[in-house]
Amino acid sequence: MFRQASRLLAQTLRAGVRPFSSDLPAAPTSDSAFIESWKKVIPNIEPPKTPSNFLRPRPATPTSIPSKITVNFVLPYASELSAKEVDMVIIPATTGQMGVLPGHVPTISELKPGILSVHEGNDVTKYFLSSGFAFIHANSVADIIAVEAVRIDHIDPSLVQKGLAEFTQKLSSATTELEKAEAQIGVEVHSALNSALSG
Amino acid sequence: MAMAALRREGRRLAPLSSPQSITAVRSSLISQEQAPLGLRSISTQIVRNRMKSVKNIQKITKAMKMVAASKLRAIQVKAENSRGLWQPFTALLGDTASVDVKKNVIVTVSSDKGLCGGINSTSVKTSKALKKLTAGPDKETKYVVLGEKAKAQLIRDSKKDIELSITELQKNPLNYTQVSVLADDILKNVEYDALRIVFNKFQSVVSFLPTVATVLSPEAVEKEAESGGKLGELDSYEIEGGETKSEVLLNLGEFQFSCVLFNAVMENACSEQGARMSAMDSSSRNAGDMLDRLTLTYNRTRQASITTELIEIISGASALEG
């Protein structure tokens, strides 16, 4: 019985340090209005969690312009860059290439297929991304969300040329609307890739 | 003659007089109206059959646990990688679970296959509670159901509220393209002011948290931004690209829905495999316990019958001697 008591004590002491999975933030906040209204109507069931419980905390808006911009570059399959401090990013917005420096005005921008370049000191990493969105917040945090992205140096130029030729040929020989649309998309993507590699 | 009759009586009463065997195994196993002759072999046969089937069940559930564990390993990596996808949207647009709108649509994510513990029931319970929460005069709440199990449960009492139901989601391995097509389908066919996605978030192999993620329609976003609160800062953001602000917000809303839905579906699939693993594990453990109990019963029955035979032989022999 004393063994049980010491085990229970150890358990309660341990209970404070318990992150189960990779994304529980240090200080989880929750939507109190939701929990209140839930408890009023449904007192028997525990209220479900909401995304704010799992949100990673973000830096507050600084008073002076910070020296580096924090970039989060996410794809459905991976977080390419997460909270990386860089000097500048150039994003392919629909209105053209846009350079983002620390202290940029808060912006929501839609992206078109093109090159994203991340400048840190003297290193430049270029990614070719399909469309997506970019949010730049007041606290110099940039979130770039794309559906697909490939590093430029991982692209094989000969395959790009081959693909471009293939899809141009398919476009000319397409019969149905569907085939035409598919071939058109292939041509656009490959020519964008081509110009990305050369430019 | 009388002795023979007495012996026959003894034989008939012998299995009935061993109380442990009857209380240990349920009465369906040893039927009370057995013939007096040959009842020993019938009862051990029945117990043996039961033991064989329990052993098979144990093997099957153990195999199912292994399969679920390997599937979990594969999908857990993908789910954890997709966790960064919804964070930017919540950081920008806030977590608006307590928003008050006219048309709510609850998207319930569940599994197609069963034997996965209680996760589908918790999702359905949460969805029903959410419906109650968002009900009110002038408001309507509809369901969009993903997965066979939630559809079966919700169709019983809310058949007319189900707008769309989609099954066989995991026929091909989950990927973003499939989910974005699905999201497109839902957005085209359902009118909504707020979409609430109910799923089980995978916290660990033994813990799954029911979670609600909210996505607002562009008009609702505008209204919330005007009224201040969480989205009040949205106006301070410059909009680049697109013709008008509303067009960009529309695209943003659609993209947000497909990203959040992708993460929800992956987390739910993870939770399903994890829950199936622990359900099958407890099932094989129970089968093992049952097998132990049956083995004891079997041995007891067998030894009792041998003892009875010995008694008969010895008493017969001693009767013959004198």
Side-chain angles (χ1 to χ4, degrees), chain A residues 65-88:
Chain A
I65 298 178
S67 60
K68 285 202 182 264
I69 187 170
T70 322
V71 172
N72 292 320
F73 178 31
V74 286
L75 302 169
Y77 301 108
S79 302
E80 278 287 334
L81 301 171
S82 111
K84 185 151 188 246
E85 307 238 331
V86 295
D87 298 320
M88 178 172 78

Side-chain angles (χ1 to χ4, degrees), chain A residues 35-48, chain B residues 122 125-126 129 132:
Chain A
I35 297 183
E36 291 298 322
S37 53
W38 178 278
K39 288 212 174 109
K40 263 189 270 181
V41 184
I42 307 134
N44 297 331
I45 310 179
E46 275 252 349
Chain B
T122 36
K125 230 173 21 178
T126 315
K132 199 164 140 198

Side-chain angles (χ1 to χ4, degrees), chain A residues 150-171:
Chain A
V150 192
R151 276 178 61 145
I152 294 271
D153 34 4
H154 291 176
I155 304 178
D156 185 358
S158 56
L159 282 177
V160 173
Q161 298 289 0
K162 215 169 63 154
L164 184 59
E166 193 185 314
F167 276 101
T168 337
Q169 194 250 336
K170 262 196 214 160
L171 183 60

Side-chain angles (χ1 to χ4, degrees), chain B residues 31 43 97 127 203 207 251 261:
Chain B
S31 52
S43 57
S127 312
Q203 204 192 21
S207 140
N251 291 340
L261 190 65

Side-chain angles (χ1 to χ4, degrees), chain B residues 114-174:
Chain B
L115 295 180
C116 50
I119 51 166
N120 292 323
S121 305
T122 36
S123 283
V124 170
K125 230 173 21 178
T126 315
S127 312
K128 287 190 182 160
L130 255 185
K131 179 166 196 245
K132 199 164 140 198
L133 186 69
T134 56
D138 222 33
K139 294 196 219 173
E140 56 169 312
T141 317
K142 296 263 175 199
Y143 289 112
V144 169
V145 184
L146 266 66
E148 197 53 68
K149 293 287 150 190
K151 177 168 133 185
Q153 291 192 36
L154 283 173
I155 220 167
R156 281 215 311 253
D157 38 358
S158 322
K159 185 162 180 192
K160 54 180 174 48
D161 287 329
I162 299 182
E163 283 268 353
L164 208 58
S165 81
I166 296 126
T167 53
E168 292 201 357
L169 211 61
Q170 297 206 38
K171 206 154 117 177
N172 305 319
L174 287 170

